[in-house]
């Protein structure tokens, strides 16, 4: 990867700096020492070569680092564009969904408003019997509930105002 390549080049650059420093130290030990002029000359040549290698490694490290930073910035820009596109798509879908929901509610509202609700004062209050009858099991042919003497299955309603069996809710 580019990051690993940069790390390898940085390592080579750091090694070239270390190599240059060690060669400079070796030169300092023999420079101005009588009888070591030839050795000092070869050490100076080694320092010059190490300096060139270090400069080359530094240039390569800076070049790779710059390229990596450019790639990173490009990546960030692409990710921002991708996230922007995802959010825009999400918002667009949400808008469409809520438009459809609004349309459904708008169509449903008149239907709900058209439901007739009986006047509570005209219906009367339901009274529960002490014996429970099952209105489903005790319908007669007219659809009204009949009261059974079987207390275990009988759930019946009676209107206070008329005394007839049947559900006060009109069911």
């Amino acid at each position: 990867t580019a990051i690993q390549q940069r790390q390898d080049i940085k390592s080579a650059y750091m090694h070239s700096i270390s190599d240059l420093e060690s060669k400079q130290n070796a030169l300092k030990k023999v420079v101005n020492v009588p009888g070591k002029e030839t050795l000092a000359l070869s050490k100076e040549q080694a320092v010059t070569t190490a300096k060139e290698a270090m400069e080359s490694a530094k240039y390569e490290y800076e070049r790779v680092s710059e390229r990596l930073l450019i790639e990173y910035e490009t990546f960030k820009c692409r990710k921002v564009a991708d996230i922007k596109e995802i959010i825009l798509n999400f918002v667009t879908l949400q808008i469409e969904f809520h438009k459809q929901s609004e349309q459904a509610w708008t169509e449903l509202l008149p239907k709900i408003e058209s439901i007739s609700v009986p006047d509570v004062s005209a219906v009367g209050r339901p009274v529960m019997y002490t014996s429970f009858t099952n209105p489903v099991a005790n319908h007669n042919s007219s659809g009204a509930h009949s009261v059974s003497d079987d207390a275990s299955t009988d759930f019946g309603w009676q209107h206070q105002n008329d005394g007839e069996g049947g559900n006060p809710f009109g069911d």
Side-chain angles (χ1 to χ4, degrees):
T1 66
I3 294 174
Q4 183 60 46
Q5 182 184 10
R6 179 181 176 271
Q7 282 299 104
D8 293 344
I9 291 172
K10 181 181 179 183
S11 178
Y13 172 53
M14 300 309 276
H15 177 72
S16 69
I17 290 172
S18 176
D19 185 47
L20 174 62
E21 289 173 351
S22 70
K23 290 186 180 182
Q24 286 172 335
N25 288 335
L27 175 63
K28 285 180 188 176
K29 291 179 183 177
V30 293
V31 78
N32 298 329
V33 175
K36 303 241 179 184
E37 292 82 19
T38 309
L39 185 58
L41 189 59
S42 70
K43 298 277 183 192
E44 278 183 26
Q45 187 65 33
V47 167
T48 303
T49 304
K51 200 178 269 188
E52 289 171 359
M54 189 269 310
E55 290 296 325
S56 176
K58 179 181 177 186
Y59 171 77
E60 185 65 17
Y61 173 68
E62 289 172 349
R63 186 184 67 79
V64 169
S65 293
E66 183 178 343
R67 188 177 70 212
L68 181 65
L69 289 174
I70 289 169
E71 287 179 20
Y72 177 72
E73 288 301 318
T74 302
F75 172 81
K76 279 187 1 183
C77 289
R78 277 193 217 126
K79 289 301 131 200
V80 168
D82 290 347
I83 291 171
K84 177 184 175 185
E85 182 180 355
I86 290 168
I87 290 172
L88 285 173
N89 288 339
F90 174 77
V91 169
T92 302
L93 288 172
Q94 288 295 307
I95 290 169
E96 185 60 34
F97 170 78
H98 288 288
K99 281 181 182 177
Q100 290 175 1
S101 294
E102 180 185 18
Q103 181 181 358
W105 283 112
T106 302
E107 291 172 5
L108 184 61
L109 185 63
K111 294 176 184 176
I112 294 172
E113 289 174 338
S114 71
I115 295 173
S116 63
V117 178
D119 184 10
V120 175
S121 63
V123 173
R125 277 180 49 208
V127 175
M128 278 299 253
Y129 288 115
T130 55
S131 67
F132 299 104
T133 60
N134 183 342
V136 176
N138 297 312
H139 271 102
N140 60 25
S141 63
S142 68
H145 298 292
S146 63
V147 177
S148 166
D149 289 333
D150 184 0
S152 65
T153 61
D154 201 354
F155 293 91
W157 290 91
Q158 178 181 5
H159 290 267
Q160 279 186 341
N161 59 350
D162 62 8
E164 293 180 15
N167 187 329
F169 303 110
D171 294 342

